[in-house]
Amino acid sequence: GLNQSFASQKRSIAQTEFLFVYFCFAVNDLGGDFTGVGKSSLAADKVVEKIRRKGGKAVANYDSVEEGEKIVKTALDAFGRIDIVINNAGILRDRSFSRISDGDWDIIQRVHLRGSFLVTRAAWDHMKKQNFGRIIMTSSASGIYGNFGQANYCAAKLGLLGLSNCLAVEGKKNNIHCNTIAPTAGSRMTQTILPEDLLEALKPDYVAPLVLWLCHESCEENGGLFEVGAGWIGKLRWERSLGALVRQKTQPMTPEAVKANWTKICDFDNATKPRSIQESIGSIVEALNKINSGEGVSANQTSHAASAAPSGFAGAIGHKLPPSYASYAELDTIMYALGVGASVKEPKDMKFIYEGSSDFSCLPTFGVILAQKSVLGGGLAEIPGLSINLAKILHGEQYLELYKPIPRAGKLRCETVVADIMDKGSGLVVLLDVYSYSGEELICYNQFSIFVVGSGGFGGKRTSDKAKAAVAVPDRPPDAVLSDTTSLNQAALYRLSGDWNPLHIDPNFASLAGFDKPILHGLCTFGFSARHILQQFADNDVSRFKAIKVRFAKPVYPGQTLQTEMWKEGNRIHFQTKVPGTGDIVISNAYVDLVPVSAASAKTPSEGAGLQSTLVFEEIGRRLQHIGQEVVKKVGAVFEWHITKGENTAAKWTIDLKTGSGKVYQGPAKGSADVTITLSDKDFMEVVLGKLDPQKAFFSGRLKARGNILLSQKLQMILKDYAKL
């Protein structure tokens, strides 16, 4: 019969029930706790007893996996051969990276990685002699994707995949197959963490059938990696972008060329899926052949002239850059708001910097952050008919138009086209139009005016009817003036929103560019000014922001004061921005177009209107009037609900089951919530109607919760017992 070495620090007795009919087992378990402390024969004995009771054959072994020879000898002494090794030993020593001790690191590597190596090595020659072997390595999703507080565990678990891949190659000629599983299953390590019903759904019974098949003599799978759990199995593989050549045979490779081609390097459209080191090296050899034949991309594009004549732009105007994608979360919009001067000192700014605000919103000018990847990603170097020195470009003007308020979080697809090219004599101007979509819905439109120093004088047109025109400010004193002093760290903070140009933080780089010290991003000044106008003329109502156009005139240094002078003419607010200390105008010929108050109101329905969940919360409130005191005694917690529609928060509700006789009211918790739950109006109704299990919704990402999420189980119980909705 087939023999199995089961290092089972992470398994339960139930797992063997699928296997005992066919196999003879050597069951190994040191018997310690989940941290690796202690020793006991009880765990292995229970498994052996279970197998024997069902008519199978099994012997126990209580050695550490670091004594692999002894474990394998137990199997050989009992059954005469060894055909299968399942390496499953595991312990946990979870610590954040800065707190991991040498001991915590070493013991995890010894048990998981070294233990698997030693047990497998002890069996390897026996498998080679009999020309048959099946080996399973047990990795983890933590090793594949990373997980906070498990650096030691993650490193060991991904190390097992590397070991497995090597053994799959070396053992193939001797009919030894090695595969890796990354199971999600209940075990001794998780029984104190996961609720009982979830342990049942993730029991090892739903992992064992995959292991059985991979160990069967007719299974040809070798070198595979599988995630498995709850009755689901999926295979993983490596994927690689097509990449880009960034040097020529006669020129050095430079970081500027890497930056210029970064979008292409990271583009997974038409990606390849290498399955061996030979395929990997083959791609490098192919690239080298292209370089030697002169097909490489120039790493030092120094030509300042884009073309000798306007006709050279035939392939440039109308050229579409590869689509880019901008994923962002509430953290990103908050980081941006802080980067453009929003502050806790101004109470009305809280809606931009605190995700718990009842009217949390994304600043309208965040739209440029979503679009800038197209410009900063190196796509300019790929425009046909243009040869641009990336060190010679300046941001001349910017236009942004919003078609609806930007969702507080989401993923947008950005499509970029070269709208036109103009000859300004001392340089040329490239107009880039960027359209940002959420699904098929257009969210915003940007026009970047990029000035390329030294590339003009080719006889091209000086103006374009496609350019969004800058407009001079009125010739009268401003109607309003607002000022903000930037922080010395303003550029360092703003760059976290995605513009990593060292010009804004590295003194040496700034000096090379001709500045005394690092300068503030123009789009940071742009954000300060727009925020002033939104505050002064729209009461921070983002639904009233329609469009903004600016011309960047002079640089700003972090620490300087920005003064926005504003003129109101109907729904257009003209403005210019100055540095009072020097008198320099840094943004000129600018304006913001606002949506009329009546139109904004028409587009913004009252919170909760049209939501099915509103009726449910109101009904819960009515029923609490009769049973509130009893429920408060059983629960003692405050629950805040964020109900979404589309990608926006449509309503917030609070169920207070902590104070008095309980109450339900619309809006965020008046004190602090013990649990905050976010889900869509549709999913909320499915939960209420019993069509959607809350735990499944949580693990699939449809329901999000923060705070003491264990209290949610109390709430679920109460709703089932009392609401009967």
Side-chain angles (χ1 to χ4, degrees):
L2 297 174
N3 301 296
Q4 178 185 52
S5 173
F6 242 126
S8 58
Q9 293 282 62
K10 279 179 63 180
R11 53 179 299 287
S12 74
I13 296 170
Q15 187 167 352
T16 62
E17 293 186 10
F18 289 95
L19 310 176
F20 72 85
V21 176
Y22 307 103
F23 301 138
C24 300
F25 296 88
V27 179
N28 164 260
D29 199 317
L30 183 63
D33 65 17
F34 71 88
T35 68
V37 175
K39 184 174 182 178
S40 169
S41 63
L42 184 62
D45 287 344
K46 280 187 175 181
V47 178
V48 169
E49 180 186 357
K50 184 89 169 181
I51 295 169
R52 289 175 176 173
R53 194 165 60 244
K54 296 291 187 178
K57 296 180 180 180
V59 294
N61 176 278
Y62 318 114
D63 295 303
S64 165
V65 287
E66 291 186 79
E67 298 178 285
E69 291 281 357
K70 293 182 179 180
I71 297 172
V72 171
K73 185 176 185 300
T74 299
L76 292 172
D77 289 346
F79 307 114
R81 61 183 285 143
I82 184 163
D83 299 280
I84 298 169
V85 171
I86 300 178
N87 291 293
N88 197 41
I91 61 173
L92 289 176
R93 291 288 182 90
D94 289 358
R95 299 282 191 280
S96 62
F97 184 71
S98 61
R99 296 175 59 226
I100 294 177
S101 67
D102 289 357
D104 288 336
W105 176 271
D106 292 342
I107 193 172
I108 292 295
Q109 310 309 312
R110 286 185 0 236
V111 173
H112 290 267
L113 188 53
R114 179 172 167 79
S116 298
F117 156 69
L118 290 170
V119 174
T120 305
R121 186 177 66 175
W124 188 257
D125 285 341
H126 298 283
M127 292 179 171
K128 286 178 67 176
K129 288 176 184 177
Q130 65 200 24
N131 203 44
F132 180 87
R134 296 291 185 265
I135 300 165
I136 302 294
M137 299 292 180
T138 305
S139 185
S140 166
S142 295
I144 299 169
Y145 306 108
N147 194 25
F148 184 87
Q150 291 193 313
N152 49 1
Y153 183 78
C154 294
K157 284 305 188 184
L158 199 58
L160 283 168
L161 176 60
L163 174 61
S164 178
N165 289 342
C166 183
L167 297 184
V169 174
E170 289 193 24
K172 186 176 182 180
K173 64 180 180 181
N174 296 111
N175 193 26
I176 302 173
H177 296 174
C178 191
N179 291 285
T180 304
I181 63 171
T184 300
S187 68
R188 293 215 302 272
M189 290 202 299
T190 57
Q191 64 186 6
T192 61
I193 301 171
L194 298 177
E196 187 174 340
D197 54 348
L198 188 56
L199 280 171
E200 177 65 18
L202 297 176
K203 58 186 179 181
D205 304 46
Y206 302 138
V207 175
L210 169 64
V211 176
L212 268 172
W213 167 239
L214 291 174
C215 293
H216 197 277
E217 60 186 11
S218 67
C219 180
E220 295 299 322
E221 186 67 32
N222 189 24
L225 170 62
F226 301 85
E227 287 190 90
V228 54
W232 172 89
I233 302 170
K235 185 176 182 180
L236 284 77
R237 64 186 178 189
W238 293 103
E239 187 177 36
R240 183 172 64 186
S241 72
L242 291 178
L245 294 174
V246 294
R247 76 173 179 93
Q248 286 185 342
K249 183 177 181 180
T250 58
Q251 295 180 355
M253 182 174 170
T254 68
E256 288 79 7
V258 176
K259 177 183 177 183
N261 286 278
W262 194 245
T263 297
K264 190 174 181 180
I265 291 169
C266 298
D267 182 7
F268 278 85
D269 288 343
N270 303 312
T272 61
K273 300 170 181 66
R275 292 169 293 179
S276 68
I277 193 169
Q278 289 78 15
E279 290 183 19
S280 173
I281 294 175
S283 298
I284 302 297
V285 172
E286 182 182 353
L288 184 60
N289 290 336
K290 287 184 178 181
I291 292 170
N292 289 335
S293 64
E295 294 181 39
V297 177
S298 172
N300 186 23
Q301 297 169 325
T302 56
S303 171
H304 290 182
S307 173
S311 60
F313 296 138
I317 298 174
H319 173 73
K320 293 182 179 180
L321 277 64
S324 64
Y325 296 87
S327 296
Y328 65 98
E330 293 166 353
L331 172 65
D332 301 294
T333 67
I334 292 170
M335 187 71 73
Y336 173 77
L338 293 170
V340 296
S343 170
V344 294
K345 293 186 294 184
E346 173 52 61
K348 290 185 178 181
D349 281 353
M350 290 298 288
K351 67 184 294 184
F352 303 123
I353 59 177
Y354 174 45
E355 74 286 355
S357 297
S358 58
D359 56 349
F360 179 78
S361 303
C362 178
L363 275 170
T365 47
F366 185 69
V368 298
I369 301 298
L370 301 173
Q372 70 183 6
K373 185 177 179 181
S374 301
V375 180
L376 300 177
L380 293 176
E382 299 293 325
I383 299 174
L386 276 178
S387 182
I388 295 176
N389 181 356
L390 297 177
K392 296 285 186 178
I393 65 173
L394 299 172
H395 194 173
E397 299 182 7
Q398 182 70 32
Y399 177 79
L400 165 67
E401 184 171 353
L402 268 61
Y403 298 93
K404 63 175 295 183
I406 299 172
R408 60 192 285 161
K411 180 177 181 179
L412 270 61
R413 181 183 81 258
C414 300
E415 297 182 356
T416 305
V417 61
V418 179
D420 213 343
I421 296 173
M422 295 173 282
D423 182 0
K424 296 294 186 180
S426 60
L428 64 82
V429 171
V430 181
L431 294 181
L432 292 175
D433 285 348
V434 184
Y435 300 86
S436 301
Y437 296 87
S438 176
E440 298 302 316
E441 184 178 20
L442 180 61
I443 301 296
C444 63
Y445 157 73
N446 279 269
Q447 184 176 86
F448 293 81
S449 293
I450 306 300
F451 188 81
V452 186
V453 179
S455 297
F458 52 83
K461 60 186 179 182
R462 295 187 63 85
T463 60
S464 169
D465 58 2
K466 296 179 181 178
K468 299 295 181 181
V471 180
V473 300
D475 186 17
R476 57 182 173 84
D479 300 319
V481 178
L482 287 179
S483 296
D484 259 320
T485 299
T486 63
S487 163
L488 291 175
N489 291 319
Q490 204 71 55
L493 180 59
Y494 181 84
R495 70 192 297 268
L496 300 181
S497 290
D499 188 341
W500 303 99
N501 190 335
L503 174 66
H504 305 294
I505 196 166
D506 186 340
N508 294 325
F509 196 93
S511 178
L512 291 173
F515 297 102
D516 296 335
K517 52 188 175 182
I519 62 173
L520 195 61
H521 306 69
L523 284 175
C524 180
T525 305
F526 166 91
F528 266 85
S529 303
R531 191 172 51 76
H532 286 163
I533 293 166
L534 195 66
Q535 177 183 329
Q536 179 68 33
F537 291 102
D539 196 30
N540 277 354
D541 181 356
V542 297
S543 68
R544 292 200 58 206
F545 194 98
K546 182 181 180 183
I548 180 172
K549 169 71 181 184
V550 305
R551 175 178 293 166
F552 300 109
K554 286 193 175 182
V556 176
Y557 292 100
Q560 289 185 319
T561 296
L562 294 174
Q563 178 178 290
T564 306
E565 300 176 344
M566 298 165 270
W567 293 261
K568 186 178 188 305
E569 293 192 345
N571 292 308
R572 173 164 287 185
I573 311 300
H574 298 270
F575 74 94
Q576 63 183 17
T577 306
K578 288 182 177 178
V579 174
T582 64
D584 289 338
I585 296 175
V586 294
I587 287 181
S588 65
N589 295 52
Y591 64 84
V592 166
D593 284 337
L594 297 175
V595 175
V597 176
S598 56
S601 300
K603 292 196 301 183
T604 310
S606 60
E607 186 177 88
L611 300 178
Q612 290 180 294
S613 55
T614 300
L615 302 174
V616 177
F617 284 112
E618 290 173 348
E619 178 63 17
I620 293 173
R622 281 192 291 272
R623 299 194 183 196
L624 277 180
Q625 294 175 12
H626 305 290
I627 59 170
Q629 288 185 336
E630 184 180 351
V631 174
V632 168
K633 287 179 183 178
K634 291 188 175 184
V635 180
V638 176
F639 302 87
E640 184 176 309
W641 296 77
H642 294 187
I643 305 298
T644 65
K645 195 163 188 178
E647 295 183 351
N648 296 314
T649 298
K652 292 183 181 180
W653 287 88
T654 298
I655 301 180
D656 183 349
L657 301 178
K658 195 174 192 176
T659 57
S661 57
K663 57 184 174 180
V664 177
Y665 55 88
Q666 194 163 6
K670 293 174 182 176
S672 60
D674 296 293
V675 189
T676 300
I677 301 170
T678 302
L679 77 169
S680 71
D681 185 57
K682 179 176 178 291
D683 287 341
F684 177 87
M685 293 306 298
E686 290 196 0
V687 168
V688 168
L689 295 170
K691 296 179 180 179
L692 176 63
D693 180 79
Q695 287 187 333
K696 291 180 180 178
F698 176 77
F699 281 99
S700 66
R702 291 167 68 179
L703 181 152
K704 298 176 182 177
R706 65 175 188 269
N708 186 353
I709 61 175
L710 292 179
L711 290 170
S712 305
Q713 294 181 343
K714 283 190 175 184
L715 178 66
Q716 187 178 355
M717 175 190 71
I718 293 299
L719 292 179
K720 283 183 178 178
D721 290 347
Y722 293 99
K724 307 293 184 188
L725 296 168

